[in-house]
Amino acid sequence: MKPVLLYGLDRESLENFIAGLDEKPFRARQILSNIYRRGVLSFAGMTELSVTLREKLAVEASLELPALVEKQVSRDGTEKLLLELSDGERIETVLIPEEGRLTQCVSTQVGCAMGCRFCRTAGGGLVRNLEAGEIVAQIIAAQKYCPELGRVTNVVFMGMGEPLHNYDAVVRAFSIITSDWGISISRRKVTVSTSGLVDAIQKLPHSMLMNLAVSLNATTDEQRSAIMPVNLRWPIAELLKTLATLELPDREHFTIEYVLLGGFNDTLEDAKRLAKLLAPIKCKINLIPYNPHEGSHFKAPSQEDVRKFQEYLLEKNFVAMVRKSRGDDILAACGQLRAERAECPAAPEKES
Ligand code: SF4
């Protein structure tokens, strides 16, 4: 049987696993402390465990990290890692250092089934879901392969894949990343981004809901369906009605991601429709000017159009920020490095 990847087990599952090896539950706490507090990467390094237990673990369990295939470092300090999983599939993770924090963008699937037209990951379709342990392992791997960047302080589930299309693994990974016995990053610093899978949003635990980012990118169904096929299943009205009816505590809000595609969804009329649509939603808006590369179907918006778009939303009292594009010179939008290496010329690009 395949060894169990321990990064994917929460405390209770690990205690059960350890009990199955005829060991006491406190051993699970020792193992978690070794992995997440002391950064131990092998069972041999867990010296307070008995030799017998370490030998059992070496057979039954795994602490395998994805292999580093390639690391690219941008002029602005953003680092992108191409990682190879145990079955040879490849994923990307991006590390974005900013003053006082280090944000990691993690992948949740190999490829993606959602087919967004502006996204490079979409080109190859969905290959497979990642296990929870493979999601968590990206953070451990980043600490190993990029020690110069220090500890990851923020995590965004915005890499390859639609996180809510891999619901169970993502919910479990979120719990391991945010629990004090796990990676122990504050829930407020872990963001899950979705293209708008309404059925999954409705069942999300509250801890994940309060930091949910929804990729909207259009203000009419015709426009959105043209770039995001998910809209055919869950149109804008249904998506926004769901967000409006979900209860958030006073100071919490959703994030609406809006990729500005030059000449497509970046006019003042779009901004006006967006303001109307979002009026009932507790949200802040991230505006992301599209940054085309070779083979793009879309073009960048002009700075002037971005400014006008943002100003209109600010006038309407929205919190609307233009998100800085990081790592442009290394194609740091997730999915791009894998597409490059796989020589996938048909794949469009991803900005969200
Ligand atoms: S933008 Fe996200 S959801 Fe859409 S195809 Fe790309 S990875 Fe999938």
Side-chain angles (χ1 to χ4, degrees):
M1 230 170 60
K2 194 176 148 196
V4 175
L5 186 60
L6 295 195
Y7 304 123
L9 298 190
D10 57 24
R11 188 164 57 189
E12 196 185 335
S13 315
L14 184 59
E15 281 170 0
N16 291 337
F17 175 74
I18 289 298
L21 298 178
D22 288 330
E23 297 280 346
K24 297 269 187 300
F26 78 92
R27 294 295 184 195
R29 286 196 293 281
Q30 287 181 320
I31 292 169
L32 289 172
S33 161
N34 270 284
I35 296 174
Y36 297 116
R37 297 284 83 74
R38 293 179 51 215
V40 177
L41 296 174
S42 69
F43 297 121
M46 299 185 180
T47 46
E48 72 268 58
L49 304 183
S50 67
V51 174
T52 320
L53 175 54
R54 279 186 267 160
E55 283 172 357
K56 282 190 220 171
L57 287 169
V59 175
E60 305 286 342
S62 162
L63 290 173
E64 187 184 353
L65 291 175
L68 180 64
V69 178
E70 185 172 347
K71 172 155 106 170
Q72 292 188 348
V73 182
S74 162
R75 284 187 297 268
D76 66 17
T78 300
E79 299 198 9
K80 181 157 72 165
L81 310 183
L82 179 63
L83 302 173
E84 188 163 294
L85 304 167
S86 54
D87 62 356
E89 293 296 345
R90 291 177 172 189
I91 53 167
E92 291 177 15
T93 188
V94 177
L95 291 144
I96 306 159
E98 289 164 295
E99 216 177 306
R101 68 179 182 178
L102 175 63
T103 302
Q104 181 168 5
C105 176
V106 295
S107 292
T108 54
Q109 297 180 308
V110 181
C112 183
M114 306 314 291
C116 303
R117 293 258 299 138
F118 49 85
C119 169
R120 192 148 194 158
T121 299
L126 176 65
V127 178
R128 72 167 173 88
N129 281 332
L130 296 190
E131 296 169 17
E134 291 174 319
I135 299 171
V136 174
Q138 291 170 59
I139 301 173
I140 313 276
Q143 313 278 195
K144 178 181 174 189
Y145 299 137
C146 309
E148 71 284 1
L149 294 179
R151 250 183 95 76
V152 170
T153 60
N154 296 59
V155 175
V156 290
F157 286 72
M158 285 187 193
M160 295 167 65
E162 159 56 64
L164 300 190
H165 196 212
N166 185 14
Y167 185 88
D168 291 341
V170 164
V171 170
R172 177 175 281 229
F174 184 95
S175 157
I176 295 166
I177 291 167
T178 55
S179 292
D180 52 4
W181 49 260
I183 294 183
S184 193
I185 296 176
S186 160
R187 286 172 183 188
R188 290 176 187 283
K189 295 183 175 178
V190 182
T191 300
V192 175
S193 174
T194 178
S195 59
L197 303 190
V198 168
D199 58 345
I201 292 173
Q202 283 168 336
K203 61 178 182 173
L204 272 178
H206 181 261
S207 55
M208 294 177 72
L209 206 53
M210 65 188 196
N211 241 358
L212 187 70
V214 177
S215 196
L216 190 62
N217 306 328
T219 53
T220 68
D221 281 326
E222 190 187 357
Q223 198 183 36
R224 191 164 191 262
S225 296
I227 53 171
M228 300 180 73
V230 67
N231 196 68
L232 297 168
R233 174 69 183 85
W234 285 291
I236 292 176
E238 199 174 338
L239 172 61
L240 296 184
K241 189 172 149 214
T242 301
L243 297 185
T245 49
L246 288 168
E247 283 194 17
L248 287 180
D250 280 353
R251 291 173 52 217
E252 308 297 345
H253 47 67
F254 297 109
T255 300
I256 300 294
E257 306 274 357
Y258 193 97
V259 178
L260 288 159
L261 302 164
F264 182 80
N265 64 358
D266 61 344
T267 65
L268 204 50
E269 289 311 307
D270 289 296
K272 286 178 184 172
R273 278 194 298 268
L274 185 62
K276 248 193 196 145
L277 286 170
L278 296 182
I281 317 271
K282 284 174 71 178
C283 66
K284 66 171 186 182
I285 305 167
N286 277 348
L287 299 173
I288 306 149
Y290 184 66
N291 186 24
H293 297 284
E294 217 181 305
S296 291
H297 300 291
F298 298 98
K299 58 181 187 181
S302 71
Q303 282 186 6
E304 181 63 5
D305 286 340
V306 174
R307 188 185 59 74
K308 282 188 195 155
F309 203 102
Q310 182 190 25
E311 270 177 15
Y312 183 82
L313 295 172
L314 294 175
E315 270 167 29
K316 293 291 168 190
N317 295 319
F318 285 97
V319 176
M321 285 169 295
V322 177
R323 219 171 69 183
K324 263 192 301 179
S325 190
R326 298 290 306 255
D328 288 352
D329 52 325
I330 56 166
L331 303 177
C334 288
Q336 295 195 349
L337 183 61
R338 176 174 172 272
E340 290 285 299
R341 290 296 160 268
E343 290 169 5
C344 175
E349 297 164 341
K350 173 175 184 172
E351 290 287 323
S352 67

